[in-house]
Amino acid sequence: MRQLSDPELIAPPVGLYVHMPWCIQKCPYCDFNSHSLRSDLPETVYIEALALDLEQEKTRLGSRQITSLFIGGGTPSLFSARSIAQLLQHIQQTVSCSSTMEITLEANPGTVEYAKFHGYFEAGINRLSIGIQSFCDSQLKQLGRIHDSQSAIKAIDAAHYAGFDNFNTDLMFGLPGQTIQSAVNDVQQAIALNPSHISHYQLTLEPETPFYYSQPVLPIDDDIWAMQLACSELLIDNGYRQYEVSAWAKDERRCQHNENYWKFGDYIGIGAGAHGKLTQTTTQQITRCWKQKNPRQYMHSLQVSQAFDGASTIEKEDRAFEFMMNQLRLKDGFQIDQFSQRTGLTIDTLEPVLSSCIKNNLLFRSKNQIGSTELGWRYLDTILEQFLPV
Ligand SMILES: C[S@@+](CC[C@H](N)C(=O)[O-])C[C@H]1O[C@@H](n2cnc3c(N)ncnc32)[C@H](O)[C@@H]1O
Ligand code: SF4
C-alpha cells in the first residue's frame, strides 16, 4: 500500500523479450533454459505459440509502447528468416512498437550463413548478438561449441555483408587452461572484426551444469584479474567504452534492451521460461511473472489455457536491493529521481548504508547521480550485500 509520503511509481520504458529454447547441442557450461534438439525444430508450432502468448500479454501491457525487442535463447538463429519475419509482423500488429526500436537476434556461428543473415536483415532485425566465446580452436572444443574459429570469423563477415552495422560478439575469459596472452588474443581478434559491441564475460561454473559436476581447471584468480585488466586496456585503446560490468560499446552503441533491464525498466517476456516485470501505476505495484519452462509444456499450455507458470509482487522492502543490484552494474550509476520513480521509495531508504559506502569511497554521489567508484566497482557484491533487506 502506498503511503502519502511515498513517491509515486512512474511507468518506465518497456522492452519485449522473446525466448527460443533450443540449441543444436547443449554447451557444458551453460545454464540457460535451452535444450538440445533431438528431433525436428517445431518451428511453426512455436511461432504460433509465441503469437498466442503475446495476445495474452497484451491485456497487461495496455497501450504502452514497446521500446526494444530482444530475441534470445537458446539459439534463435535456428529459426528461418521466414519464421522470424512472421514473428516480427505479428508483434508489430499486436502491440504498439516504437518505430525506431532496437531489434536484436542472438546467433550461433554454427547455424548461420550469409543468406540467413540477409533474410533476418530484410525481416527487420537491426542488431545481432553473435556467440563467439573464443577464437582458439582447442578452447572452443573444450567448451563443447559446435563451431570453430574460422566459422566464427565467417559469421561476423557475413553479418557485415548482410548490412548489419550494429552487432555484438560474446566472448568469455577465465577459460579452462587459458593464458593471459590467449585471452588478449581473443579480444584482439574480435576488435579486428569491428563489432560495435563486445560482451566480455568471465566464465562462471553454474550449478547443475556438466562443468559444475566435473570441474575443469580454471586459471588462478590473479591471472583472471590480469586478463581482465589487459583486455580492458586493449578495448579502451581501440575506442570501446565499458558501460556495464561485462559490456563494451563503440560510438555509444550500447544494447538498449539490456540497458533497460539494468535501469530497472519494465519488460514482458514471451516464450518458454520467459520472465516479465511490469510496473502498474493504477495499483502502484511492481509485478513479476514467468512462463512454463519446458518447451513442450509451454506449447501445450498455450493451446489449452495460459502460459503462466507463476507471478509475484516485488514487495516494497525488496525494491531498493533489486534496483541497486541492477543499477550498480552500470558505470554511470543512476539518477536519484529515477530511484524514486522506479521503486516508489525515497532516497533515504538507502540510508545509512549509502552514506557509509560514500564515506568508504565505494560509492559516489554528485548532484542527482549515484554510482560505484573505481574501488567500489571491484567490490560490487560486498556493496550489494549491505542493501539486502534485514
Ligand atoms: C544465451 S547465450 C546466447 C548465444 C548463443 N546461444 C551462443 O551460445 O552462441 C548468451 C551468452 O552467455 C554467455 N554465457 C553462457 N553461459 C555462461 C557462463 N557459464 N559463464 C559466462 N558466460 C556465459 C556466453 O557468452 C553466451 O554467448
Ligand atoms: S549455444 Fe548458447 S544457449 Fe545454447 S547451450 Fe551453448 S551457450 Fe547455451
Side-chain angles (χ1 to χ4, degrees), residues 17 19 22-23 27-32 34 70 72-77 106-110 129-133 145 147 168-173 199 201-206 209 211:
Y17 176 74
H19 191 72
W22 292 282
C23 295
C27 307
Y29 55 85
C30 174
D31 76 339
F32 286 83
S34 61
F70 195 102
T75 305
S77 54
E106 278 185 339
N108 180 316
S129 177
I130 309 175
I132 304 291
Q133 323 312 347
R145 299 292 293 177
H147 57 88
N168 167 57
T169 52
D170 282 337
L171 288 179
M172 296 195 295
F173 68 99
S199 296
Y201 300 114
Q202 181 181 341
L203 175 72
T204 49
L205 299 180
E206 301 292 348
T209 59
F211 265 19

Side-chain angles (χ1 to χ4, degrees), residues 156-209:
I156 297 176
D157 285 343
H160 280 297
Y161 287 129
F164 290 98
D165 66 348
N166 190 15
F167 66 86
N168 167 57
T169 52
D170 282 337
L171 288 179
M172 296 195 295
F173 68 99
L175 302 176
Q178 193 176 40
T179 60
I180 301 168
Q181 189 56 50
S182 120
V184 170
N185 290 348
D186 279 346
V187 173
Q188 182 93 61
Q189 173 71 76
I191 290 171
L193 296 162
N194 199 24
S196 51
H197 192 286
I198 295 178
S199 296
H200 196 228
Y201 300 114
Q202 181 181 341
L203 175 72
T204 49
L205 299 180
E206 301 292 348
E208 293 181 38
T209 59

Side-chain angles (χ1 to χ4, degrees), residues 125-163:
I125 300 292
N126 55 29
R127 184 173 183 274
L128 291 173
S129 177
I130 309 175
I132 304 291
Q133 323 312 347
S134 170
F135 289 99
C136 168
D137 283 333
S138 58
Q139 202 73 256
L140 288 170
K141 225 177 217 159
Q142 230 174 337
L143 292 172
R145 299 292 293 177
I146 57 165
H147 57 88
D148 60 12
S149 58
Q150 273 314 307
S151 24
I153 294 171
K154 266 195 198 154
I156 297 176
D157 285 343
H160 280 297
Y161 287 129

Side-chain angles (χ1 to χ4, degrees), residues 78-381:
L78 282 172
F79 285 72
S80 67
R82 212 170 132 239
S83 293
I84 297 298
Q86 254 172 27
L87 174 67
L88 294 189
Q89 215 174 17
H90 187 82
I91 291 171
Q92 268 145 0
Q93 284 163 359
T94 311
V95 291
S96 158
C97 294
S98 149
S99 58
T100 55
M101 77 177 174
E102 174 191 271
I103 308 179
T104 306
L105 179 134
E106 278 185 339
N108 180 316
T111 60
V112 285
E113 77 293 277
Y114 167 77
K116 212 174 200 184
F117 275 162
H118 179 68
Y120 292 152
F121 188 75
E122 293 285 297
I125 300 292
N126 55 29
R127 184 173 183 274
L128 291 173
S129 177
I130 309 175
I132 304 291
Q133 323 312 347
S134 170
F135 289 99
C136 168
D137 283 333
S138 58
Q139 202 73 256
L140 288 170
K141 225 177 217 159
Q142 230 174 337
L143 292 172
R145 299 292 293 177
I146 57 165
H147 57 88
D148 60 12
S149 58
Q150 273 314 307
S151 24
I153 294 171
K154 266 195 198 154
I156 297 176
D157 285 343
H160 280 297
Y161 287 129
F164 290 98
D165 66 348
N166 190 15
F167 66 86
N168 167 57
T169 52
D170 282 337
L171 288 179
M172 296 195 295
F173 68 99
L175 302 176
Q178 193 176 40
T179 60
I180 301 168
Q181 189 56 50
S182 120
V184 170
N185 290 348
D186 279 346
V187 173
Q188 182 93 61
Q189 173 71 76
I191 290 171
L193 296 162
N194 199 24
S196 51
H197 192 286
I198 295 178
S199 296
H200 196 228
Y201 300 114
Q202 181 181 341
L203 175 72
T204 49
L205 299 180
E206 301 292 348
E208 293 181 38
T209 59
F211 265 19
Y212 189 79
Y213 291 119
S214 171
Q215 302 205 350
V217 181
L218 299 182
I220 56 167
D221 284 350
D222 282 354
D223 283 356
I224 294 181
W225 179 240
M227 282 175 198
Q228 205 165 345
L229 286 184
C231 293
S232 298
E233 222 167 88
L234 192 58
L235 285 159
I236 292 165
D237 288 349
N238 284 277
Y240 291 85
R241 187 172 105 79
Q242 184 178 27
Y243 66 98
E244 189 266 347
V245 176
S246 312
W248 295 78
K250 214 160 58 168
D251 306 325
E252 289 300 307
R253 301 193 91 171
R254 304 163 178 217
C255 174
Q256 291 165 21
H257 185 82
N258 287 342
E259 210 176 22
N260 187 43
Y261 290 144
W262 297 317
K263 290 187 168 173
F264 208 51
D266 281 356
Y267 49 96
I268 52 177
I270 60 171
H275 285 236
K277 163 190 173 272
L278 272 185
T279 303
Q280 265 126 9
T281 48
T282 40
T283 56
Q284 288 290 299
Q285 283 189 323
I286 309 175
T287 52
R288 285 195 190 285
C289 74
W290 51 94
K291 308 289 164 68
Q292 293 273 356
K293 208 170 167 193
N294 179 285
R296 304 261 154 214
Q297 274 169 14
Y298 166 79
M299 288 186 283
H300 176 72
S301 64
L302 268 161
Q303 276 156 7
V304 292
S305 62
Q306 292 213 331
F308 277 106
D309 191 32
S312 67
T313 302
I314 308 181
E315 300 298 344
K316 267 194 167 165
E317 53 271 31
D318 297 322
R319 288 183 200 165
F321 173 72
E322 290 216 15
F323 180 94
M324 296 301 266
M325 188 171 64
N326 284 287
Q327 284 275 13
L328 290 185
R329 298 180 65 90
L330 289 170
K331 269 252 146 156
D332 294 341
F334 61 91
Q335 291 175 347
I336 293 173
D337 304 354
Q338 234 168 51
F339 175 83
S340 303
Q341 291 165 3
R342 297 191 178 185
T343 60
L345 305 168
T346 63
I347 200 71
D348 297 343
T349 320
L350 297 176
E351 295 297 1
V353 179
L354 176 62
S355 293
S356 142
C357 288
I358 292 172
K359 200 168 137 220
N360 292 319
N361 192 29
L362 294 168
L363 294 180
F364 71 84
R365 181 174 181 164
S366 67
K367 285 193 191 150
N368 192 25
Q369 199 80 8
I370 292 174
S372 304
T373 59
E374 279 303 321
L375 179 68
W377 193 247
R378 284 191 66 174
Y379 298 102
L380 267 188
D381 288 346

